[in-house]
Amino acid sequence: MNGARTGTLASLRGSIARIEAPSDAAMPNRIALGHAGADAMLRGGLAPAALHEVFAAGHQGGAATGFIAGLAGLISARKPLVWVRQDFSDRENGALSMRGLAELGLDPRLLVTVRAADVDSGLRTAADALACDALGAVVLEIWGQARQLDLVASRKLTLAAQASGVTALVLRIAAAPIPSTAETRWIVRAAHSPPGNAASPWGAPRVEAELVRNRHGPVGRWIMEWKCDECQFSEPSAYPQPVAATPAHRPHQAQARAGHRLAS
Amino acid sequence: MGTALCQPTHGRWQDSLSRLRGRVGVGVLSTNNVLRKERAPTRIASSDAIRPPPQAGEAKKELPSVVVVKDHNAILLHAVDEAAVRAGLSIGLPLANARAICPELTVYDADPAADLKTLNDIADWCDRFTPLVALDAPYGLFLDITGCAHLFGGERALLQIVTNALSRRGFAVSAAIAGTSIAARTLTRHVSGKIVADGAEAQAVGPLPVSALGADSAVTTGLRRAGLKTIGDVAARAPHEISARFGAAFTTLLSHALGQGDAPISPRKPLPDYIVEKRFPEPIATDTVIALTLSSLAKMLVAAMDKQGKGARQLEASFFRTDGAVRAIMVETGRPVTRPEMIDRLFSERLDALNDPLDPGFGFDLIRLAAGRTEIVVQQQRDLDATVHDNDEISALIDRIAARIGGKRVVVHLPLESHIPERAALALPAQHHQAAASAAAWPERVAGEPPLRPLRLFEQPEPIKVPFASVPDGPPHQFTWRRALHAVVRVEGPERIAMEWWKQDGAALTRDYFRIEDAEGQRFWIFRDGLYESELRDEEDKPVPANWYVHGLFA
């Protein structure tokens, strides 16, 4: 009896220690984003076969789309990608442009787009697609505070993702985070291009990504730049580090003149 | 209650048709039949439904009723019932004359659209006898019953089934079976229920009056004036005499009626490659039985296709209700389907997602599964080549999603040779274009450059308010989009994109695109519509300010 109790206690302690261990060691199968700070916080990168959420304000649709496209490109790794999009999202933020996707270094040939009429059919389609293990990732894009995307729905998506090994990425524009079973949750907004002289190229996809939920570690906030040629995120080049608040107080008139570079 | 064979839209005929509910007395055959597409010496049944439209039960009241149609400012009788015929009225008589002959006349307006719909509904119902049903508007139907009659106990029994079922619904039916469609139709014009053996058409139609041929009234009158009263009389003359007087079209019609040569009928639906069906002595109505039936039909269909190494690209399930209504549900697939479970699953997805669910009414007495389009299946080694397996999986997934939400909502993207941004890509149904999309050549991006095209593109560029620009054709310093003011911090441009001036309708204005970043770091793709001074001028030739639009959002 006593021996059995000590055994149970020992095993419980062991498992608590495993949970609490400050495992700096990277977890296996993680997909590195390329941004050193974020990767360290995520213990090697994003977990595949899980649900990840990206939130953005209504007017930040472009930046959020770029961020999730980058995540999808990294995770799917040359495997086909299903992007389920609500019709309303197309009207609000524009349709996903294939030329734009190619400009990010991703391959439009691997994309299958599903235009869902409403949230319900979008959710169902995403759950169906998650069951297909030939896919690299499934992106579900929902506009607005959708009542249907509750804890139960996210649990279903998570279970489907775990069963097939396909990663679920949910893009919620103009929505506030609610409890869900997501592995990670990000809030994304656009970040400035680095200051530079008039001739310096600007306009690389750059987002301020705030990790607000991380099931296995602390959270954080970084400026990430998507490297279109290398197809991964990185620390922003030539940017004063660290950046916390949004800089929105520059004398734009002068900047505009300085930044105005005529196309050759 | 289900809807009846035809909807009451207008007029009394439609009213009385809508009352015609009940069970169709089709012979009880619990056989499962597999029909193959074949072309043999044809046997055509023609039935003239609705033609005099009187209804059962009208005779008791003995009140004549007519349907009238307005023709060149004259109101003429379009159809008459039996009581009206007895009263001496005939089709084509002016209504005023008819009222003079028979004062207590009930008059209804003709509704050709409803008539045609009724005829189409009857044709739907006739699909249960043969897949080849052709309309012979306005009142007739042709059924190509080649190779089908034995399933219903022979031609005589089939004719009886059709006639009885339609009469029970209150239609006046005249039906006949003959070797050619025109011969069958000619026979129905005079007497119902005739079956003519192959080669005996001339003998059968010979004694009929020339009006039975259904030629123009001018031709019929001309023949009668020439003393040729029966078809036999006309046939006895040399063909060139008839052609010289009445035209070659009439000679052809005559030879078809006599069984020499045949005009092909044009069926309403293309003939499916494979059909399997199940008939029920007792109508079925529960979902479970319907699902079980569909899956057993799917097994039979796959077994039939498998013998020829085929797989289905398009499947149609038809549900024949006892009251005559027919519901057809179609699913399409991107790759030939060869597994019954897959067919099962596609149909269950489709049936689940129907906006107006399958209504069994009093039950279905026949369920049919047809493979409308099939393809030869190329067998590939599956377990060694992972990509083959993956591609199959994805095609199956696309098919399932398309079955539920519609094929046009699942798209792949193809590049298009156009420099106009909104026309540079094409979204096409994934089921049909998956192979093309995976082999498409997209323009390469310029290495080292930031993205030059936005990630999200508006289908319709959205107008923005630009208060002023430092130079007329320069970029704006700030703009208002969706009621929010954006201060421009960085600009790149212009990139000038001219419209297709070589096209007739390509008179749109040249656009100057700017890639800009605002104070919050958001990046937009905006353009000015038209070149200042050269394109933008009012009637008095003065320059007008340009309109600005936002066309896309960068990441």
Side-chain angles (χ1 to χ4, degrees):
Chain A
M1 185 67 189
N2 201 18
R5 279 184 66 181
T6 7
T8 320
L9 268 177
S11 73
L12 279 174
R13 281 203 183 106
S15 51
I16 290 170
R18 266 200 305 283
I19 292 167
E20 288 188 338
S23 54
D24 292 327
M27 306 248 295
N29 303 331
R30 293 286 169 127
I31 293 146
L33 299 181
H35 187 284
D39 281 342
M41 208 71 94
L42 292 166
R43 289 202 253 162
L46 280 189
L51 174 71
H52 302 278
E53 289 179 332
V54 176
F55 284 81
H59 61 285
Q60 298 280 4
T65 311
F67 183 69
I68 208 156
L71 293 185
L74 282 171
I75 290 170
S76 63
R78 309 292 309 158
K79 279 176 108 182
L81 175 71
V82 170
W83 194 303
V84 184
R85 207 162 59 234
Q86 228 183 322
D87 284 347
F88 188 71
S89 198
D90 274 15
R91 282 196 285 282
E92 275 295 326
N93 270 328
L96 196 68
S97 152
M98 291 306 118
R99 280 294 303 279
L101 206 64
E103 290 277 3
L104 290 187
L106 307 174
D107 192 349
R109 289 176 293 190
L110 298 173
L111 181 75
V112 177
T113 305
V114 180
R115 293 194 284 234
D118 49 30
V119 179
D120 287 321
S121 88
L123 266 174
R124 181 142 184 221
T125 308
D128 267 9
L130 280 173
C132 177
D133 57 9
L135 296 176
V138 176
V139 179
L140 172 63
E141 181 180 329
I142 301 282
W143 173 275
Q145 197 72 46
R147 184 175 42 79
Q148 295 93 326
L149 207 65
D150 55 3
L151 198 59
V152 178
S154 78
R155 179 99 190 114
K156 274 185 193 160
L157 292 181
T158 306
L159 286 177
Q162 279 169 353
S164 64
V166 181
T167 313
L169 299 167
V170 179
L171 175 58
R172 306 280 314 272
I173 301 172
I178 51 166
S180 73
T181 58
E183 183 84 12
T184 62
R185 185 180 300 136
W186 303 80
I187 295 178
V188 168
R189 51 190 301 149
H192 279 282
S193 295
N197 61 356
S200 68
W202 61 273
R206 184 184 280 247
V207 292
E208 185 189 321
E210 187 182 355
L211 181 62
V212 292
R213 176 190 161 91
N214 179 8
R215 275 180 67 136
H216 298 294
V219 294
R221 168 189 262 192
W222 306 273
I223 301 261
M224 292 190 192
E225 184 172 321
W226 175 255
K227 293 282 179 198
C228 301
D229 297 319
E230 291 96 48
C231 284
Q232 60 171 8
F233 290 100
S234 76
E235 286 82 13
S237 52
Y239 207 93
Q241 291 276 4
V243 171
T246 49
H249 50 269
R250 292 193 187 160
H252 50 79
Q253 295 286 353
Q255 283 286 340
R257 298 234 171 75
H260 182 194
R261 179 167 70 110
L262 284 176
S264 51
Chain B
M1 291 295 282
T3 52
L5 199 62
C6 104
Q7 297 292 335
T9 47
H10 165 252
R12 168 109 156 287
W13 303 135
Q14 282 70 43
D15 263 7
S16 39
L17 289 178
S18 75
R19 273 192 257 114
L20 304 167
R21 296 205 177 96
R23 305 211 164 195
V24 188
V26 175
V28 174
L29 297 168
S30 52
T31 46
N32 306 321
N33 311 307
V34 181
L35 302 185
R36 278 281 299 131
K37 190 197 267 188
E38 60 185 335
R39 278 264 169 223
T42 49
R43 304 284 290 157
I44 308 249
S46 165
S47 63
D48 249 0
I50 348 173
R51 200 159 49 123
Q55 308 303 318
E58 295 284 326
K60 278 181 226 147
K61 286 186 268 164
E62 292 291 343
L63 271 179
S65 12
V66 293
V67 178
V68 293
V69 66
K70 194 169 182 185
D71 180 30
H72 291 99
N73 282 339
I75 298 177
L76 306 179
L77 298 198
H78 183 62
V80 292
D81 70 353
E82 272 176 46
V85 172
R86 270 199 297 280
L89 306 183
S90 62
I91 293 169
L93 203 67
L95 178 62
N97 298 13
R99 280 206 199 281
I101 295 170
C102 181
E104 42 185 24
L105 199 60
T106 327
V107 181
Y108 303 99
D109 284 330
D111 184 353
D115 282 353
L116 189 66
K117 188 181 177 305
T118 310
L119 190 65
N120 263 308
D121 287 341
I122 297 173
D124 276 345
W125 175 78
C126 285
D127 275 343
R128 63 176 63 215
F129 300 112
T130 163
L132 292 172
V133 178
L135 297 186
D136 180 25
Y139 303 122
L141 290 175
F142 289 128
L143 276 66
D144 189 338
I145 55 161
T146 313
C148 301
H150 69 279
L151 304 173
F152 302 92
E155 290 178 349
R156 173 71 55 194
L158 176 58
L159 201 64
Q160 206 63 43
I161 292 168
V162 175
T163 320
N164 287 352
L166 288 174
S167 318
R168 204 165 306 167
R169 279 157 187 284
F171 295 105
V173 191
S174 173
I177 295 181
T180 70
S181 51
I182 304 295
R185 186 176 71 185
T186 309
L187 285 167
T188 59
R189 295 262 160 82
H190 208 257
V191 61
S192 178
K194 264 223 151 145
I195 295 177
V196 180
D198 277 340
E201 285 89 359
Q203 216 178 326
V205 299
L208 303 183
V210 282
S211 60
L213 279 174
D216 288 352
S217 58
V219 174
T220 313
T221 322
L223 286 168
R224 211 173 285 137
R225 283 195 187 141
L228 303 171
K229 294 228 162 54
T230 65
I231 296 173
D233 290 346
V234 185
R237 313 296 302 188
H240 67 265
E241 292 174 20
I242 304 291
S243 307
R245 174 71 179 78
F246 298 107
F250 178 71
T251 323
T252 319
L253 182 72
L254 182 65
S255 68
H256 289 166
L258 295 170
Q260 305 151 357
D262 189 13
I265 65 168
S266 42
R268 299 184 309 144
K269 299 171 188 165
L271 190 60
D273 290 354
Y274 297 86
I275 297 176
V276 290
E277 62 188 28
K278 205 163 201 160
R279 284 164 195 278
F280 303 97
E282 277 297 317
I284 60 159
T286 55
D287 288 347
T288 336
V289 184
I290 292 170
L292 278 174
T293 311
L294 269 181
S295 60
S296 76
L297 284 175
K299 281 199 194 90
M300 285 159 58
L301 184 71
V302 166
M305 291 191 302
D306 205 32
K307 282 184 194 145
Q308 273 128 354
K310 298 264 187 84
R313 286 288 309 274
Q314 188 198 67
L315 292 153
E316 191 181 63
S318 312
F319 301 88
F320 292 76
R321 246 162 55 171
T322 45
D323 61 0
V326 181
R327 180 84 187 267
I329 286 159
M330 188 189 283
V331 293
E332 279 191 294
T333 64
R335 292 194 172 205
V337 179
T338 51
R339 297 211 315 271
E341 313 87 77
M342 195 105 101
I343 297 179
D344 242 12
R345 191 155 175 199
L346 287 177
F347 273 110
S348 68
E349 297 270 4
R350 188 84 193 84
L351 289 175
D352 276 353
L354 285 179
N355 282 336
D356 48 340
L358 203 61
D359 176 16
F362 296 113
F364 300 115
D365 61 356
L366 167 63
I367 294 181
R368 171 184 289 171
L369 187 62
R373 209 169 62 236
T374 55
E375 266 177 22
I376 292 180
V377 181
V378 184
Q379 296 292 344
Q380 280 172 307
Q381 187 96 25
R382 267 148 212 280
D383 39 3
L384 289 179
D385 189 353
T387 52
V388 172
H389 172 74
D390 280 5
N391 284 344
D392 280 359
E393 291 268 308
I394 290 164
S395 306
L397 171 71
I398 291 171
D399 287 344
R400 279 204 305 277
I401 299 174
R404 199 175 57 244
I405 67 172
K408 283 182 188 159
R409 287 188 164 274
V410 189
V411 292
V412 287
H413 304 273
L414 284 172
L416 209 60
E417 291 281 336
S418 173
H419 66 282
I420 298 174
E422 60 264 37
R423 293 188 204 152
L426 210 57
L428 293 170
Q431 285 182 307
H432 307 293
H433 300 276
Q434 207 197 350
S438 57
W442 288 91
E444 290 281 317
R445 74 176 301 272
V446 186
E449 282 280 332
L452 302 177
R453 287 285 181 273
L455 184 57
R456 304 205 71 137
L457 199 68
F458 290 105
E459 205 171 316
Q460 286 285 329
E462 300 204 349
I464 51 177
K465 264 188 238 151
V466 173
F468 65 93
S470 54
V471 278
D473 54 355
H477 293 305
Q478 60 181 35
F479 63 91
T480 313
W481 176 51
R482 291 182 179 171
R483 290 183 289 172
L485 187 70
H486 298 268
V488 176
V489 175
R490 311 196 69 153
V491 184
E492 164 110 5
E495 178 184 351
R496 184 160 292 175
I497 296 181
M499 293 296 111
E500 294 166 324
W501 47 265
W502 57 90
K503 282 193 180 161
Q504 204 69 30
D505 57 344
L509 301 172
T510 306
R511 300 173 182 173
D512 273 353
Y513 278 92
F514 294 90
R515 200 154 60 80
I516 63 164
E517 186 175 303
D518 76 353
E520 278 188 62
Q522 295 181 64
R523 286 166 281 272
F524 300 88
W525 207 36
I526 64 170
F527 70 87
R528 191 190 57 240
D529 203 20
L531 298 178
Y532 186 72
E533 292 215 318
S534 63
E535 283 185 350
L536 296 168
R537 287 181 174 277
D538 57 8
E539 293 88 35
E540 290 156 20
D541 213 32
K542 284 193 187 129
V544 291
N547 290 322
W548 287 83
Y549 297 90
V550 56
H551 200 173
L553 306 174
F554 287 95

